[in-house]
Amino acid sequence: MAEPITMTSVSLDDICINTIRTLSMDAVQKANSGHPGTPMALAPLMYVLWTRHLRHNPVDPDWPDRDRFVLSCGHASMLLSSALYLAGYDLSLEDIKQFRQLGSKTPGHPEYGVTPGVETTTGPLGQGVGNAVGMAAAAAHLGALFNRPDHRVVGHRTYFIASDGDLMEGVSHEAASLAGHLKLGDLIGFYDDNRVTIDGETDLCYSDDAMGRFASYGWHVRQVEDGNDLEALDEAVRAAQDDPRPSLIVVRTHIGYGSPNKQDSAAAHGAALGEEEVALTKQNLDWPGTEPFHVPEEALAHWRACRDRGAALQAEWSERFGGYAAAHPRDAERLRSRLAGELPDGWEDALPTFESASGGMATRKASAAVLGALVARVPQLMGGSADLAGSVMTTLPAAGDFTPDDYTGRNVHFGIREHAMGAVMTGMSLHGGVRPFGGTFLIFADYMRPAIRLAAMMGQPTIYLFSHDSIGLGEDGPTHQPIGTLASLRAIPNLTVIRPADANEVVEAWRVALRTDDGPTAIILTRQGLPVLDRSSLGPASALARGGYVLSDPVRGAPQVVLMASGSEVNIVLAAQRLLAEQGIGAQVVSMPSLELFGRQPVEYRNEVLPPELAKRLAVEAGHPMPWYRWVGSEGDVLGIDRFGESAPGADLFTHFGFTAEEIVVRAKALVER
Amino acid sequence: MAEPITMTSVSLDDICINTIRTLSMDAVQKANSGHPGTPMALAPLMYVLWTRHLRHNPVDPDWPDRDRFVLSCGHASMLLSSALYLAGYDLSLEDIKQFRQLGSKTPGHPEYGVTPGVETTTGPLGQGVGNAVGMAAAAAHLGALFNRPDHRVVGHRTYFIASDGDLMEGVSHEAASLAGHLKLGDLIGFYDDNRVTIDGETDLCYSDDAMGRFASYGWHVRQVEDGNDLEALDEAVRAAQDDPRPSLIVVRTHIGYGSPNKQDSAAAHGAALGEEEVALTKQNLDWPGTEPFHVPEEALAHWRACRDRGAALQAEWSERFGGYAAAHPRDAERLRSRLAGELPDGWEDALPTFESASGGMATRKASAAVLGALVARVPQLMGGSADLAGSVMTTLPAAGDFTPDDYTGRNVHFGIREHAMGAVMTGMSLHGGVRPFGGTFLIFADYMRPAIRLAAMMGQPTIYLFSHDSIGLGEDGPTHQPIGTLASLRAIPNLTVIRPADANEVVEAWRVALRTDDGPTAIILTRQGLPVLDRSSLGPASALARGGYVLSDPVRGAPQVVLMASGSEVNIVLAAQRLLAEQGIGAQVVSMPSLELFGRQPVEYRNEVLPPELAKRLAVEAGHPMPWYRWVGSEGDVLGIDRFGESAPGADLFTHFGFTAEEIVVRAKALVER
């Protein structure tokens, strides 16, 4: 239990700070759900940061040069909601009262796109740290590209607040290590050192020296011993702003600050304090009101000065931008266009077409060719891989490396940090002005899954390149061979998964990915070579945009069976079609690169591709069969894999697991004869 | 490029070391696939560790008190395969020659259960570090429980080797932080500081001060500046053994050591060196043979002394264990039984039965009751949660906390470290003697997915408790509401997913989980209360073991439609059955807690539960519909969710997303009338 807090006089600062505390208590109490303690602990920091340092304009949350603020500990959402309301964003006291109710602008955790001023959706811990690193990286890149000696038009910082949970999560390690390596000096984080977790004291499970840890990443670290000391907070922020390294400020706070019976205890963490304790706390804080959601006029007025300050800051920037536009009109237009998320006119003209070739081309190589074709035409394309640039083939030729010495480079070396790569990409995309892509082996999509899911939830058009997409990768064996990964990605709402069958389908996959602006796309690529299909006798690759299409009608006669497949299995199915024809069985071959895109087509189109009367259907994919049952139906069959792979040359494994034309013939005949 | 290496005389030590290097080069060359450079770099460390320090007996790889060795950088698998062969494990030179071929004992990455002496499957980076922490934790626990003042029968250490990739991965942070907190002094790690990754120099993306970082976790850290200096390595290992903290020894090595043209370059990382370079390297190392796979007799003889040393060590231990068994016969028998993976006789008698109650009980609470019932009867049950013990209800009552001051406790506070929790649980299970379980919210299964997958691949019977399993969790909103998580878990081979419908199904789920010894089980639990079903008029909960069963025949007449569901949706479906009966429509209700278990039943049983002639089937689950299409067929329908959730009270969300008896009636009637 903390010592009782006694106050003799309450300053305006204190009233402004306590307004966050009381709104947070009251909103959680009304919803009878939420986390009051952390907003109460962090209220002074939020007040100092938002009213004195954060360059933001509540009236225009989209001002491009605003500072970004990320509340990585999203469970403290009332901290952010309170500040947004008080500072004068488009969020009313009524909205605050609707905390955690259906359709409200104040959901249980901060949600991008739902609440004006929320820069990213947080809650799953650690993600916000990665997002913040991505925002800082995008800002550094655009600043390096567009600022001119007398015109600093990209000059904002990224701030984040992290809890012990954020710092325990592995993704915080990956992201902080990358930020330290990249020397992202405009990134300033606060660690809310409140020493209490949901289960009790942090020392139940956590003994890290957080300052030593971040120093080992090359960060500037500082401590504020009293999280209620506004001048100490102020000084720490100024020092962080002046330091060329990313900064972590460790702030000692008290969870549930002001609550006589729950301060510094887990009881203040994840549940309402209770009517009585709320009343006692208000009394203890010398709070002037007893009604819930009371906002003292002087506090609101003082907070709302953020609007004037923000308007002035933005006006100053607009003037600066005007000067820039006069001196560098083409750069100004390019920057505007990029920040608006526009792609350059005619970018699709640059896309290559591949001649048919049985010799073959790995689809990862085709993707590399697309990157090479687009690099000059789509300057906002920026990305890399988790230390597999050579294997996944993610390098943008002649586009330079994004390094601490040169932020103009577009090739990002994310390191062996898939999870951070995902979260950083999302942050870059949220920042705007860049179109991030990132690659690794498909199996390691598992490592970045939490970040992919949040990108999908936020509708960010990030692009994932996942190569080595099946047992076809061969010798690396079962540890590296994805079996359920495709199914697991297809189960993420608003993520489009595309597994192209040949080089020309890769081109179309990239076209779809870049045209998509409301969600991420995963392009699934082979390690091994695949024939480039002869489109003169087959359906056009451009039909990929519909998810599935008839690639080949039966050689003769009416179809008796549909063979559908994705990726590397499509050419095997085509071979099976020929063998079946020799036995007098007509097979319609469907290339099905994206079940999501196909599922979104009108039923009429779907029935053209998979005629209802043609119920004998065999789906072939070297992965878990689960996603295919919907499309093969009761009279169909799926040739997939539901066990782990083996270490052997890829061709041997295709035979071993039955992905051969001969086996497909057997299965198809069994269907026809059933 | 490294300076040329000149040797005038070659010691026996050098020959023993170079045997690893040449075997590794030759095996990778023959397979034309693999990673030669790291085994070449680490050969001296492996030699010193395995011949001088590691307490192991190649003839009995299952000796319970052996030291554990984990090669976290599994791509260096030839390092381990070479050492296993040379030390005299059941692995021949012929096996080495079959590196990376189908069915061989030398797969591309180390695989547990495939190669004698391999303690864990590695390759996906960082996992081995977590496994090693788990092994050390299990050893600490068993030592604290079973050792007696004059009888130290559990006295082994755990060693691991990690690469830059392992240390970049977030899971290494989580695991190392936990190990530091727990002061696992018998854990000794080596960091292979070779400064080269697949994409080039590590300084492309990595600037961590690894020693500072691990020191911040409370580890003892040391540096060996020359990875070829055997005495320095020796001294560092001794110092680590003597230090009460976990130790990290940073060893500066040279990837591809000895290769005149590829040492210290990424070219030595992930591809064969080439015939010519192999020859040049052998020349440079003064290697006595030119034939591939040449093993000098004196080297083999010296290495094989590991057998004598191991036999003596084990004999000494056996004698010690004999004395222990004489003094403490019941303890000795308990330890033997636990290490053999046996559960105590009659443990199932302790399982509770719940009376029907419409008032309801959250399935997480039923799970807590099972833990309470089993805690005394199944002492090897050990586990906890990722800082959600109170929410997931994972606490073993009166079983103490597993803390640095008391390793006898069985409640593990994993911290907000889901990924490490998964990897640590696997390590505990691999070690043996404990039966680990771990819990978090279902959505955070995403964070630990790579670890779950490897546990499944290794057939480890870990138990995951995932609560807050749907939109039913309510206010925390879409960030916390799993949509595709069930589907994604069901796509992992050899993982059994069980989502019980009520308290008695929870009991049966635990029964299945504990009876299973060849793979992990995930038990999916609700936050919200559910009715305890009245089994007097319904199918028995014990039928859960078959995955799906007829819970209720139509109230009257023949069934026209099947309603199947899992978990919290089962009672809604029962309500719909009653409403349909009022409208004269007979519905058969199937409880389907585990699609995996049901899929493994004979077709006759499956046809009893889902009669083929009863093609009108509606599946209801508050998650992605993908897993259910297989079971509803072409004439069926799935009521699921394929978008993200919302923040609101759980009951509101069930209505909002259509999980109501009324909506089910509409859907079922549509099927019947179609």
Side-chain angles (χ1 to χ4, degrees):
Chain A
M1 190 78 61
E3 289 189 19
I5 295 152
T6 53
M7 291 188 183
T8 45
S9 74
V10 181
S11 68
L12 178 59
D13 284 339
D14 284 335
I15 295 174
C16 287
I17 291 165
N18 287 337
T19 308
I20 292 183
R21 291 180 172 136
T22 54
L23 283 177
S24 299
M25 283 191 291
D26 287 341
V28 172
Q29 191 64 43
K30 179 160 188 288
N32 196 24
S33 171
H35 299 254
T38 301
M40 295 166 76
L42 290 170
L45 167 61
M46 199 69 172
Y47 172 67
V48 167
L49 183 63
W50 276 51
T51 62
R52 300 188 194 173
H53 295 285
L54 193 74
R55 296 167 55 91
H56 64 133
N57 183 3
V59 177
D60 184 1
D62 296 324
W63 170 30
D65 203 38
R66 72 193 180 279
D67 287 342
R68 268 58 171 184
F69 173 82
V70 174
L71 184 68
S72 191
C73 43
H75 56 271
S77 55
M78 271 309 303
L79 178 71
L80 183 50
S81 294
S82 301
L84 288 169
Y85 155 66
L86 291 168
Y89 284 78
D90 180 17
L91 195 74
S92 68
L93 196 56
E94 277 311 304
D95 291 323
I96 299 284
K97 293 178 185 172
Q98 292 303 308
F99 181 52
R100 295 189 157 222
Q101 303 311 303
L102 192 58
S104 85
K105 285 163 81 175
T106 49
H109 290 82
E111 287 185 37
Y112 173 81
V114 170
T115 317
V118 170
E119 301 279 5
T120 181
T121 297
T122 51
L125 291 168
Q127 301 297 328
V129 179
N131 296 161
V133 172
M135 291 173 187
H141 179 65
L142 293 175
L145 278 181
F146 287 98
N147 286 340
R148 296 289 173 268
D150 295 320
H151 301 279
R152 187 171 154 84
V153 289
V154 181
H156 51 276
R157 296 191 173 87
T158 303
Y159 297 91
F160 69 87
I161 299 180
S163 61
D164 51 82
D166 290 291
L167 295 201
M168 280 192 248
E169 290 288 1
V171 64
S172 74
H173 161 61
E174 299 180 14
S177 169
L178 181 61
H181 171 78
L182 290 173
K183 299 190 168 72
L184 298 173
D186 287 330
L187 177 67
I188 299 174
F190 302 89
Y191 165 39
D192 173 26
D193 182 19
N194 64 40
R195 305 189 193 171
V196 172
T197 74
I198 287 186
D199 278 353
E201 311 280 311
T202 51
D203 61 11
L204 268 177
C205 58
Y206 183 59
S207 315
D208 290 6
D209 163 17
M211 291 179 71
R213 179 184 158 207
F214 276 72
S216 82
Y217 300 143
W219 287 48
H220 161 237
V221 291
R222 285 182 75 90
Q223 190 165 27
V224 172
E225 286 178 21
D226 176 1
N228 290 309
D229 181 341
L230 306 190
E231 299 323 308
L233 288 166
D234 201 71
E235 191 194 327
V237 173
R238 284 181 206 285
Q241 290 171 340
D242 290 343
D243 198 283
R245 297 164 292 178
S247 294
L248 185 77
I249 302 170
V250 177
V251 184
R252 175 68 173 113
T253 69
H254 296 273
I255 198 164
Y257 182 86
S259 162
N261 299 301
K262 297 196 171 178
Q263 180 179 320
D264 292 316
S265 84
H269 199 302
L273 297 180
E275 299 283 359
E276 195 176 343
E277 189 67 16
V278 168
L280 286 173
T281 306
K282 287 180 179 173
Q283 197 176 3
N284 193 32
L285 294 172
D286 279 348
W287 187 242
T290 53
E291 281 303 293
F293 303 102
H294 172 68
V295 176
E297 268 178 46
E298 65 271 35
L300 190 61
H302 190 65
W303 266 101
R304 286 280 159 96
C306 285
R307 282 187 172 173
D308 295 335
R309 191 174 143 263
L313 287 169
Q314 185 168 355
E316 183 204 0
W317 176 83
S318 296
E319 194 180 316
R320 219 173 331 133
F321 193 85
Y324 175 72
H328 306 282
R330 289 177 55 193
D331 286 336
E333 168 52 21
R334 280 193 198 110
L335 177 57
R336 185 210 59 74
S337 165
R338 285 177 62 156
L339 289 170
E342 300 165 2
L343 292 180
D345 285 341
W347 67 270
E348 296 187 43
D349 302 341
L351 289 170
T353 307
F354 295 93
E355 294 300 311
S356 72
S358 59
M361 176 183 243
T363 51
R364 62 178 170 148
K365 287 190 184 167
S367 173
V370 173
L371 282 175
L374 291 178
V375 60
R377 294 291 281 269
V378 187
Q380 51 270 76
L381 258 187
M382 179 179 186
S385 82
D387 192 45
L388 289 168
S391 297
V392 186
M393 302 190 166
T394 52
T395 304
L396 289 165
D401 281 355
F402 182 75
T403 71
D405 301 320
D406 183 1
Y407 292 132
T408 66
R410 293 159 59 192
N411 285 297
V412 184
H413 292 276
F414 288 104
I416 303 171
R417 305 181 179 105
E418 297 83 5
H419 200 169
M421 178 168 73
V424 166
M425 285 167 62
T426 310
M428 293 167 73
S429 178
L430 286 163
H431 179 280
V434 296
R435 195 68 192 272
F437 67 92
T440 184
F441 291 167
L442 176 57
I443 194 64
F444 301 132
D446 278 3
Y447 277 74
M448 52 193 297
R449 184 173 173 84
I452 296 173
R453 177 175 165 271
L454 284 172
M457 193 179 295
M458 289 188 260
Q460 292 305 299
T462 45
I463 300 173
Y464 310 108
L465 302 174
F466 294 133
S467 74
H468 292 59
D469 71 341
S470 76
I471 52 167
L473 67 86
E475 292 90 342
D476 274 346
T479 55
H480 285 55
Q481 290 161 0
I483 300 296
T485 318
L486 282 169
S488 77
L489 291 173
R490 289 169 179 152
I492 296 177
N494 201 37
L495 170 67
T496 302
V497 179
I498 309 179
R499 187 170 183 247
D502 76 343
N504 286 306
E505 279 198 9
V506 171
V507 174
E508 299 307 317
W510 266 104
R511 191 194 307 272
V512 167
L514 281 171
R515 280 182 177 176
T516 301
D517 62 5
D518 58 355
T521 304
I523 303 179
I524 314 295
L525 302 166
T526 63
R527 174 189 185 218
Q528 72 275 22
L530 298 181
V532 181
L533 300 177
D534 178 3
R535 299 287 170 173
S536 66
S537 60
L538 298 171
S542 60
L544 171 137
R546 308 199 78 166
Y549 62 99
V550 177
L551 184 66
S552 172
D553 288 317
V555 181
R556 69 182 74 87
Q560 295 167 267
V561 63
V562 172
L563 304 178
M564 63 182 104
S566 79
S568 49
E569 288 69 76
V570 169
N571 75 83
I572 309 177
V573 156
L574 281 171
Q577 181 197 40
R578 289 189 292 274
L579 294 180
L580 285 164
E582 289 170 11
Q583 301 187 33
I585 296 172
Q588 175 158 315
V589 172
V590 170
S591 179
M592 190 74 95
S594 175
L595 299 177
E596 294 76 49
L597 292 174
F598 188 67
R600 281 175 226 152
Q601 301 308 310
V603 67
E604 295 74 20
Y605 177 77
R606 299 203 315 246
N607 286 346
E608 277 172 39
V609 177
L610 300 176
E613 66 278 13
L614 201 49
K616 314 285 191 180
R617 300 174 188 170
L618 176 64
V620 183
E621 187 172 74
H624 198 284
M626 189 193 293
W628 293 92
Y629 289 106
R630 176 176 176 195
W631 303 109
V632 299
S634 306
E635 292 179 60
D637 191 9
V638 184
L639 174 57
I641 312 179
D642 61 1
R643 42 159 296 204
F644 290 106
E646 298 278 354
S647 172
D652 294 359
L653 292 176
F654 268 88
T655 304
H656 180 70
F657 283 96
F659 292 92
T660 62
E662 293 72 23
E663 175 67 17
I664 292 167
V665 166
V666 170
R667 296 270 199 131
K669 283 175 71 178
L671 284 182
V672 170
E673 288 159 13
R674 189 151 74 191
Chain B
M1 189 78 57
E3 289 188 18
I5 294 152
T6 55
M7 290 186 182
T8 47
S9 75
V10 181
S11 68
L12 178 59
D13 284 340
D14 284 335
I15 294 175
C16 286
I17 290 164
N18 287 337
T19 307
I20 291 183
R21 292 182 172 134
T22 53
L23 282 177
S24 299
M25 281 192 290
D26 287 341
V28 172
Q29 190 64 42
K30 181 162 188 286
N32 196 24
S33 171
H35 299 254
T38 301
M40 295 165 76
L42 290 170
L45 168 61
M46 199 70 171
Y47 172 69
V48 167
L49 184 63
W50 276 49
T51 63
R52 301 188 193 173
H53 295 284
L54 193 75
R55 296 166 53 92
H56 64 133
N57 182 3
V59 177
D60 185 0
D62 297 324
W63 169 29
D65 202 37
R66 71 191 181 279
D67 287 342
R68 267 56 170 186
F69 173 81
V70 173
L71 183 67
S72 191
C73 44
H75 56 272
S77 56
M78 272 309 304
L79 178 71
L80 182 50
S81 294
S82 301
L84 289 168
Y85 155 65
L86 291 168
Y89 283 78
D90 181 16
L91 195 74
S92 68
L93 196 57
E94 277 310 305
D95 291 324
I96 298 283
K97 292 178 186 172
Q98 293 303 308
F99 181 53
R100 297 191 155 219
Q101 303 309 304
L102 191 58
S104 85
K105 286 163 81 175
T106 48
H109 290 81
E111 288 185 36
Y112 174 81
V114 170
T115 317
V118 169
E119 301 279 5
T120 181
T121 297
T122 52
L125 291 167
Q127 301 297 328
V129 178
N131 295 162
V133 172
M135 292 173 187
H141 180 64
L142 294 176
L145 278 181
F146 287 99
N147 286 340
R148 295 290 172 268
D150 294 319
H151 302 278
R152 187 170 154 84
V153 291
V154 181
H156 52 276
R157 295 191 173 90
T158 303
Y159 296 91
F160 69 86
I161 299 180
S163 61
D164 51 84
D166 291 291
L167 295 201
M168 280 191 247
E169 292 287 0
V171 65
S172 74
H173 161 63
E174 299 180 14
S177 169
L178 181 61
H181 172 76
L182 290 172
K183 299 190 170 68
L184 298 173
D186 288 329
L187 177 67
I188 298 175
F190 302 89
Y191 165 39
D192 173 24
D193 182 19
N194 64 40
R195 305 188 193 171
V196 171
T197 73
I198 287 186
D199 278 353
E201 312 279 312
T202 51
D203 62 11
L204 268 177
C205 58
Y206 184 58
S207 317
D208 290 7
D209 163 17
M211 292 179 70
R213 177 184 160 207
F214 276 72
S216 81
Y217 300 144
W219 287 48
H220 161 237
V221 291
R222 283 182 76 90
Q223 191 165 25
V224 173
E225 287 180 17
D226 176 3
N228 290 308
D229 181 340
L230 306 191
E231 299 323 308
L233 289 167
D234 201 71
E235 192 194 327
V237 173
R238 284 182 207 285
Q241 290 172 340
D242 290 345
D243 199 284
R245 298 165 292 179
S247 294
L248 185 77
I249 302 171
V250 177
V251 184
R252 174 69 173 112
T253 69
H254 296 274
I255 198 164
Y257 182 85
S259 162
N261 298 302
K262 297 196 172 177
Q263 179 179 318
D264 291 316
S265 84
H269 199 300
L273 296 181
E275 298 284 0
E276 193 178 344
E277 190 67 14
V278 168
L280 287 172
T281 306
K282 286 180 180 174
Q283 197 177 3
N284 193 32
L285 294 171
D286 279 347
W287 187 243
T290 52
E291 282 301 293
F293 303 102
H294 173 67
V295 177
E297 269 179 44
E298 66 270 33
L300 188 61
H302 190 67
W303 266 101
R304 287 282 159 97
C306 284
R307 283 187 172 173
D308 295 337
R309 188 173 146 265
L313 287 168
Q314 186 168 356
E316 183 205 1
W317 176 82
S318 296
E319 194 180 314
R320 220 177 326 135
F321 193 84
Y324 175 72
H328 306 282
R330 288 176 55 194
D331 287 335
E333 168 53 20
R334 280 194 197 110
L335 177 57
R336 184 210 59 74
S337 166
R338 284 178 62 158
L339 290 170
E342 299 165 3
L343 293 180
D345 286 343
W347 66 268
E348 296 187 43
D349 301 342
L351 289 170
T353 306
F354 296 93
E355 294 300 310
S356 71
S358 59
M361 177 183 243
T363 51
R364 61 179 170 145
K365 287 191 184 167
S367 174
V370 173
L371 282 175
L374 291 179
V375 60
R377 294 290 280 270
V378 186
Q380 51 270 73
L381 258 187
M382 179 177 186
S385 81
D387 192 48
L388 289 169
S391 297
V392 186
M393 303 190 166
T394 52
T395 303
L396 289 165
D401 281 354
F402 181 75
T403 70
D405 302 320
D406 184 0
Y407 292 132
T408 66
R410 293 160 58 190
N411 285 298
V412 184
H413 293 276
F414 288 104
I416 303 170
R417 304 179 180 107
E418 298 83 6
H419 200 170
M421 178 168 74
V424 167
M425 286 167 64
T426 311
M428 293 168 75
S429 178
L430 285 163
H431 179 280
V434 296
R435 194 68 193 271
F437 67 91
T440 184
F441 290 167
L442 176 57
I443 194 65
F444 302 131
D446 277 2
Y447 277 72
M448 51 194 297
R449 183 172 174 83
I452 296 172
R453 178 175 164 271
L454 284 172
M457 193 179 295
M458 290 189 261
Q460 292 305 299
T462 46
I463 299 173
Y464 310 107
L465 301 174
F466 294 133
S467 75
H468 293 58
D469 71 341
S470 76
I471 51 168
L473 66 86
E475 293 89 343
D476 274 344
T479 56
H480 285 54
Q481 289 162 359
I483 300 297
T485 319
L486 282 168
S488 76
L489 291 173
R490 289 169 178 153
I492 296 178
N494 201 37
L495 170 68
T496 301
V497 180
I498 310 179
R499 186 169 184 247
D502 77 341
N504 287 306
E505 280 198 9
V506 171
V507 174
E508 299 306 318
W510 266 103
R511 191 194 307 274
V512 167
L514 282 171
R515 281 182 177 176
T516 302
D517 61 6
D518 59 356
T521 304
I523 303 178
I524 313 296
L525 302 165
T526 62
R527 175 188 185 219
Q528 72 274 23
L530 299 181
V532 181
L533 300 177
D534 179 2
R535 298 287 171 171
S536 67
S537 60
L538 298 170
S542 60
L544 171 137
R546 309 202 75 167
Y549 61 99
V550 177
L551 185 66
S552 171
D553 289 317
V555 181
R556 70 181 73 86
Q560 296 166 266
V561 63
V562 173
L563 304 177
M564 64 182 104
S566 80
S568 49
E569 287 69 76
V570 169
N571 75 81
I572 308 177
V573 156
L574 281 170
Q577 181 197 40
R578 289 189 291 272
L579 294 180
L580 284 165
E582 290 170 11
Q583 302 187 34
I585 296 172
Q588 176 159 314
V589 172
V590 170
S591 179
M592 190 73 94
S594 175
L595 299 178
E596 294 75 50
L597 293 174
F598 187 67
R600 281 176 225 150
Q601 301 307 309
V603 66
E604 296 74 22
Y605 177 77
R606 298 203 314 246
N607 286 345
E608 276 173 37
V609 177
L610 301 176
E613 66 277 12
L614 203 48
K616 314 284 193 180
R617 300 174 187 171
L618 177 64
V620 183
E621 186 173 75
H624 199 285
M626 190 193 295
W628 293 92
Y629 289 106
R630 176 176 175 194
W631 305 108
V632 300
S634 306
E635 293 179 60
D637 190 10
V638 184
L639 174 57
I641 312 178
D642 61 1
R643 43 160 294 204
F644 291 106
E646 298 277 354
S647 173
D652 294 358
L653 292 176
F654 267 87
T655 305
H656 180 70
F657 283 96
F659 292 92
T660 61
E662 293 71 22
E663 175 67 17
I664 292 167
V665 167
V666 170
R667 296 272 199 129
K669 284 176 69 178
L671 284 184
V672 170
E673 289 159 12
R674 189 149 74 189

